[in-house]
Amino acid sequence: PVSAEAIDFSPYTASKRIRIVLVGGAVSTDGVELFLRTTTNDGASFDSGAGNYSWAFLGYSTSPATLNASNGADTAIQLTSAGASEGIDNATNFSGSITIENPSVTGTFTMISFRFRYIREGGTGLVTIDGDGAREAAADVDGIQIYPTAGNVTFAYAVFAEY
């Protein structure tokens, strides 16, 4: 598992699509959300300015609840729900996938799609999130950072590149 939140995929940036699959994910703090930021300089820094990202997702919970959310000018892409009691349970695992389209293209925004599944805060009920986001700058992307609102996150991952 990875304790650091950064995933460097610079060896694969010439590909048309990069898919990252996360398994066995865990958070140290109950009820947190996960966020994603991108880098254009091999992880030396991650873009975090206001308006750097836009995102939207459809979410569902067995609680039951609809957890749709969006933001057109954010400091990161939100990957999981911030709904009341709909954050990630720290006693269970999460899994997910992230797809980055044309990461080496510098003339357009980088499009990112994501899907996450986890047990909601308190240990009861499944949450599933399906969304899309964009890095709102015409620049390449050669890595991502995944981080929780509090505490630490760990996960195992695999990177798949399509050329």
Side-chain angles (χ1 to χ4, degrees), residues 112-130:
I112 299 169
S113 60
F114 54 93
R115 181 168 170 84
F116 278 80
R117 294 152 301 286
Y118 57 91
I119 301 300
R120 63 192 282 273
E121 180 179 348
T124 59
L126 174 70
V127 175
T128 182
I129 302 290
D130 191 3

Side-chain angles (χ1 to χ4, degrees), residues 19-22 58 60 79-80 94-99 113-118 126-132:
R19 184 165 187 245
I20 302 163
V21 177
L22 291 77
L58 301 175
Y60 299 95
L79 300 173
T80 61
F94 69 84
S95 62
S97 62
I98 299 164
T99 303
S113 60
F114 54 93
R115 181 168 170 84
F116 278 80
R117 294 152 301 286
Y118 57 91
L126 174 70
V127 175
T128 182
I129 302 290
D130 191 3
D132 295 288

Side-chain angles (χ1 to χ4, degrees), residues 38-70:
T38 64
T39 181
T40 60
N41 56 15
D42 296 324
S45 63
F46 291 88
D47 302 310
S48 60
N52 281 173
Y53 304 92
S54 61
W55 57 268
F57 66 66
L58 301 175
Y60 299 95
S61 170
T62 55
S63 59
T66 302
L67 308 170
N68 302 337
S70 64

